[in-house]
Amino acid sequence: MEEGLYYKIIKPDDPLSNFVDSFWCLYNHSNEVKETIGLPDGRVDLFLFCSPADGFRILLLGLGTQPHEQASIPVDCVMFCISLKLLAVEYILQESIADIINSGKLLKEDFLGFSEQDLQNFDRFIEKSTQLLLSVLPTVIDKRKQKLFDLIYKSKGSVTVSELSEKVCWTSRQINRYFNQWFGLSLKAYSNILRFRASLDHIAQGKLFPEEHFFDQNHFIKEIKKFAGVVPKELLKNKNDRFILLSSLTSK
């Protein structure tokens, strides 16, 4: 990670692991604005953000299907984030995110009981977030949906829609209706994003060839460019750590 930027990620404990991918924080301790480009990763991000220039905000980012436009990380910015899995959209947010695909929206400053004070300590933020999320979870979860997402995440998007349909006893049409209604894209489109996300682990290690169920090298390069905006070789260079997601992998 570039000097002046601090990044930390923590995985949740059970039973939140079915709904939360991770908690993470980002600090800009440098004396200059940092430029960044977000990459699609199959997660829905709930941000608590504060900087001297912009004040305190809570934002929700929907799924991304393309590289985000270049954004800036302000000086002395503090950012805490809950990266949600898709099952959390229905059972925690309880609201469709189909209208904010490749975008986001501002939430109320007291959303779920959060406040600017929660940005003072990352460990306490995780503790509070865990308690809050568990408190709003319903007691009954659709087992068919839970199994569907278990298979999707374990396979990193490599299982076909028809195979998933057979395994969860849910028609492909019904699955895609559910995905489009709640998330704004088809299951196949989402699986492609997860496959791209999995390939970043290999690219971060300098492996510029397909390992995650791509047809061939040309298909691999085409898919990476579609989601990252650049070919794998350029993505690996990651000049000035502008791809924060990739920087977090290389800094492990």
Coordinates of all heavy atoms in Angstrom, one line a residue, residues 198-211 217 220 231-238 246 249-251:
A198 N -11.9 -13.3 -8.2 CA -11.0 -14.4 -7.9 C -9.7 -14.3 -8.7 O -8.6 -14.7 -8.2 CB -11.6 -15.8 -8.1
S199 N -9.7 -13.9 -9.9 CA -8.5 -13.8 -10.7 C -7.6 -12.7 -10.2 O -6.4 -12.8 -10.5 CB -8.9 -13.4 -12.2 OG -9.4 -12.1 -12.3
L200 N -8.1 -11.7 -9.4 CA -7.2 -10.7 -8.9 C -6.2 -11.3 -7.9 O -5.1 -10.8 -7.8 CB -8.0 -9.6 -8.2 CG -8.9 -8.7 -9.0 CD1 -9.7 -7.7 -8.2 CD2 -8.1 -8.0 -10.1
D201 N -6.5 -12.3 -7.2 CA -5.6 -13.0 -6.3 C -4.4 -13.5 -7.1 O -3.2 -13.4 -6.6 CB -6.3 -14.1 -5.6 CG -7.3 -13.7 -4.6 OD1 -7.0 -12.9 -3.7 OD2 -8.5 -14.1 -4.7
H202 N -4.6 -14.0 -8.3 CA -3.5 -14.5 -9.1 C -2.7 -13.4 -9.7 O -1.5 -13.5 -9.8 CB -4.1 -15.5 -10.2 CG -4.9 -16.6 -9.7 ND1 -4.3 -17.6 -8.9 CD2 -6.2 -16.9 -9.8 CE1 -5.3 -18.5 -8.5 NE2 -6.4 -18.1 -9.1
I203 N -3.4 -12.4 -10.2 CA -2.7 -11.2 -10.8 C -1.8 -10.6 -9.7 O -0.7 -10.1 -10.0 CB -3.7 -10.2 -11.4 CG1 -4.4 -10.9 -12.6 CG2 -3.0 -8.9 -11.7 CD1 -5.6 -10.0 -13.1
A204 N -2.3 -10.5 -8.5 CA -1.5 -9.9 -7.4 C -0.2 -10.6 -7.2 O 0.8 -10.1 -6.7 CB -2.3 -9.8 -6.1
Q205 N -0.2 -11.9 -7.5 CA 1.0 -12.8 -7.4 C 1.8 -12.8 -8.6 O 2.8 -13.5 -8.7 CB 0.6 -14.2 -7.0 CG -0.2 -14.4 -5.7 CD -0.8 -15.7 -5.6 OE1 -0.2 -16.8 -5.9 NE2 -2.0 -15.8 -5.0
G206 N 1.4 -11.9 -9.6 CA 2.2 -11.9 -10.9 C 1.8 -12.9 -11.9 O 2.5 -13.1 -12.9
K207 N 0.7 -13.6 -11.7 CA 0.3 -14.7 -12.6 C -0.6 -14.1 -13.6 O -1.8 -13.8 -13.3 CB -0.4 -15.8 -11.9 CG 0.5 -16.5 -10.8 CD -0.3 -17.5 -10.0 CE 0.6 -18.2 -8.9 NZ -0.2 -19.2 -8.2
L208 N -0.1 -13.9 -14.8 CA -0.9 -13.2 -15.9 C -1.5 -14.2 -16.9 O -1.5 -14.0 -18.1 CB 0.0 -12.2 -16.6 CG 0.6 -11.1 -15.7 CD1 1.5 -10.1 -16.5 CD2 -0.5 -10.3 -14.9
F209 N -2.0 -15.3 -16.3 CA -2.6 -16.3 -17.2 C -3.9 -16.8 -16.5 O -4.0 -16.7 -15.2 CB -1.7 -17.4 -17.5 CG -0.9 -18.0 -16.3 CD1 -1.5 -18.9 -15.5 CD2 0.3 -17.5 -15.9 CE1 -0.9 -19.4 -14.4 CE2 1.0 -18.0 -14.8 CZ 0.4 -18.9 -14.0
P210 N -4.8 -17.4 -17.2 CA -6.1 -17.7 -16.6 C -6.0 -19.0 -15.7 O -5.3 -19.9 -16.0 CB -7.0 -18.1 -17.8 CG -6.0 -18.4 -18.9 CD -4.8 -17.6 -18.7
E211 N -6.6 -18.9 -14.5 CA -6.7 -20.0 -13.6 C -8.1 -20.2 -13.1 O -8.3 -21.2 -12.4 CB -5.7 -19.7 -12.4 CG -4.3 -19.8 -12.8 CD -3.4 -19.9 -11.5 OE1 -3.9 -20.2 -10.4 OE2 -2.2 -19.7 -11.7
Q217 N -6.4 -17.7 -23.0 CA -5.8 -16.5 -22.6 C -6.5 -15.2 -23.1 O -6.6 -14.2 -22.4 CB -4.3 -16.5 -23.1 CG -3.5 -15.3 -22.8 CD -3.1 -15.2 -21.3 OE1 -3.2 -16.3 -20.6 NE2 -2.6 -14.1 -20.8
F220 N -9.5 -14.5 -21.0 CA -9.0 -14.0 -19.7 C -8.7 -12.5 -19.9 O -9.2 -11.7 -19.1 CB -7.8 -14.8 -19.3 CG -7.1 -14.2 -18.1 CD1 -7.7 -14.3 -16.9 CD2 -5.8 -13.7 -18.2 CE1 -7.0 -13.8 -15.7 CE2 -5.1 -13.2 -17.1 CZ -5.8 -13.2 -15.8
V231 N -5.7 -4.1 -19.3 CA -5.3 -5.6 -19.4 C -4.6 -6.0 -18.2 O -4.1 -5.2 -17.4 CB -4.4 -5.7 -20.7 CG1 -5.2 -5.4 -21.9 CG2 -3.1 -4.9 -20.6
P232 N -4.5 -7.3 -17.9 CA -3.8 -7.9 -16.7 C -2.4 -7.3 -16.4 O -2.1 -7.0 -15.3 CB -3.8 -9.4 -17.0 CG -4.9 -9.6 -17.9 CD -5.0 -8.4 -18.8
K233 N -1.6 -7.1 -17.5 CA -0.3 -6.6 -17.3 C -0.3 -5.2 -16.7 O 0.5 -4.9 -15.8 CB 0.5 -6.7 -18.6 CG 2.0 -6.3 -18.5 CD 2.7 -6.5 -19.8 CE 4.2 -6.2 -19.7 NZ 4.9 -6.4 -21.0
E234 N -1.1 -4.4 -17.2 CA -1.2 -3.0 -16.7 C -1.8 -3.0 -15.3 O -1.5 -2.2 -14.5 CB -2.1 -2.2 -17.7 CG -2.2 -0.7 -17.3 CD -0.9 0.0 -17.4 OE1 0.0 -0.4 -18.2 OE2 -0.8 1.1 -16.8
L235 N -2.8 -3.9 -15.1 CA -3.4 -4.0 -13.7 C -2.4 -4.3 -12.7 O -2.3 -3.8 -11.6 CB -4.5 -5.0 -13.8 CG -5.4 -5.1 -12.5 CD1 -6.1 -3.8 -12.2 CD2 -6.4 -6.2 -12.7
L236 N -1.5 -5.3 -13.0 CA -0.4 -5.7 -12.1 C 0.5 -4.5 -11.7 O 1.0 -4.4 -10.6 CB 0.4 -6.8 -12.7 CG 1.6 -7.3 -11.9 CD1 1.1 -7.9 -10.5 CD2 2.4 -8.4 -12.6
K237 N 0.8 -3.6 -12.7 CA 1.7 -2.5 -12.4 C 1.1 -1.6 -11.3 O 1.8 -1.1 -10.4 CB 1.9 -1.7 -13.7 CG 2.7 -2.4 -14.7 CD 2.8 -1.5 -16.0 CE 3.6 -2.1 -17.1 NZ 3.7 -1.3 -18.3
N238 N -0.2 -1.4 -11.4 CA -0.9 -0.7 -10.3 C -0.2 0.6 -9.9 O 0.1 0.8 -8.7 CB -1.2 -1.6 -9.1 CG -2.3 -1.1 -8.2 OD1 -3.0 -0.2 -8.5 ND2 -2.3 -1.7 -7.0
L246 N -6.7 -4.2 -5.4 CA -5.5 -5.0 -5.8 C -4.3 -4.7 -4.8 O -3.6 -5.6 -4.4 CB -5.0 -4.7 -7.2 CG -4.0 -5.6 -7.8 CD1 -4.5 -7.0 -7.9 CD2 -3.6 -5.1 -9.2
L249 N -4.5 -6.8 -1.7 CA -4.0 -8.2 -1.9 C -2.5 -8.3 -1.9 O -2.0 -9.2 -1.3 CB -4.6 -8.7 -3.2 CG -6.1 -8.8 -3.4 CD1 -6.6 -9.2 -4.8 CD2 -6.7 -9.7 -2.3
T250 N -1.8 -7.4 -2.6 CA -0.4 -7.5 -2.6 C 0.3 -7.1 -1.3 O 1.4 -7.4 -1.1 CB 0.2 -6.5 -3.7 OG1 -0.3 -5.2 -3.5 CG2 -0.3 -6.9 -5.1
S251 N -0.5 -6.4 -0.4 CA 0.1 -6.0 0.9 C -0.1 -7.1 2.0 O 0.3 -6.9 3.1 CB -0.5 -4.7 1.3 OG -1.9 -4.8 1.6

